[in-house]
Amino acid sequence: MNEAPELGERVLLAIDTAIGTSIALGVDGRIFEATSDDPRGHAERIGSLLAEVFETAGVGPERVEGVVAGIGPGPFTGLRVGIAAAQVFAQSRGVPLLPLQGHEAVALEALAGALAGVHVVQDAKRRELFVTEYSGIDWAGVPVRSVEPHLVARADHTPAANEVWPERIPAAGLVRLAARRLAAGRDFEPNRALYLRAPDMRQPTAPKRVST
């Protein structure tokens, strides 16, 4: 549990499955978080983790006023599970969906240590990396993105001085960021997953016409 005065009276839920599964519930100025490091069992773990945060916080789902969806960057298979869960929860409760980039939450924690800037680097598999660069924190307490999320070949990556490799995306940070953006009247990200590359699954092509 973390103190989060920026929440005020808001009750916000965050779901992210870019790296493992991370769920957080912000209520009464506090944030409760539940996580799983299983890189493949997102769908199986989301239900139990949701139940865990609501039980720990001692509130019911009807209190939620907004759902933060971690939109990546991340792999297709894992990322879509969390986004779908956030969309379903928001629609079923009739509350806003609040999309945010997961790297922003990682940068928020790193920049709290007074770093001048930070590079968030995430393993993208296939000998590639997801990289986003941040220059600092703005007046609203939100990390300033200086270079958008992009894909880099691991062999071409040059390590930076202030580099962070997250083990998971902190859903608690997503709750904080959502509260700060709402308080400052800031927009959220487009409701679109950041895969940064085409998924492995492809639509079948139309069969070739056989000439007679």
Side-chain angles (χ1 to χ4, degrees):
M1 181 186 69
N2 300 310
E3 298 296 325
E6 59 262 68
L7 274 169
E9 300 297 318
R10 295 185 178 89
V11 180
L12 301 175
L13 175 70
I15 301 174
D16 191 283
T17 53
I19 311 174
T21 304
S22 183
I23 293 177
L25 178 66
V27 57
D28 298 330
R30 297 174 296 172
I31 301 177
F32 303 84
E33 191 170 20
T35 63
S36 168
D37 291 329
D38 184 346
R40 299 181 183 276
H42 309 289
E44 294 79 2
R45 294 293 292 145
I46 280 182
S48 60
L49 293 175
L50 282 169
E52 180 180 336
V53 293
F54 281 111
E55 181 179 359
T56 304
V59 300
E62 69 279 359
R63 290 281 307 276
V64 174
E65 301 168 22
V67 182
V68 188
I71 60 168
F76 177 82
T77 304
L79 196 57
R80 62 178 179 156
V81 174
I83 293 174
Q87 290 173 336
V88 169
F89 194 105
Q91 290 172 0
S92 66
R93 299 302 311 160
V95 298
L97 183 72
L98 309 171
L100 285 177
Q101 292 186 19
H103 284 189
E104 189 169 298
V106 178
L108 180 65
E109 290 189 351
L111 291 167
L115 293 176
V118 65
H119 292 207
V120 180
V121 184
Q122 177 184 336
D123 185 5
K125 309 303 181 184
R126 303 184 194 172
R127 301 179 183 177
E128 293 178 314
L129 304 170
F130 296 125
V131 182
T132 312
E133 298 179 25
Y134 296 86
S135 58
I137 298 282
D138 67 13
W139 64 269
V142 175
V144 177
R145 199 158 57 232
S146 54
V147 178
E148 295 294 324
H150 56 287
L151 201 61
V152 177
R154 186 180 286 269
D156 296 335
H157 175 63
T158 302
N162 296 333
E163 198 170 82
V164 178
W165 292 65
E167 295 182 359
R168 71 175 67 91
I169 301 300
L174 291 175
V175 169
R176 290 184 187 279
L177 287 168
R180 293 178 184 186
R181 282 176 176 261
L182 289 168
R186 293 283 183 82
D187 291 333
F188 286 78
E189 302 292 338
N191 184 17
R192 182 175 62 250
L194 294 176
Y195 300 125
L196 301 185
R197 65 184 172 208
D200 290 333
M201 293 186 300
R202 297 180 182 274
Q203 293 293 332
T205 58
K208 293 182 180 180
R209 181 177 296 177
V210 179
S211 59
T212 58

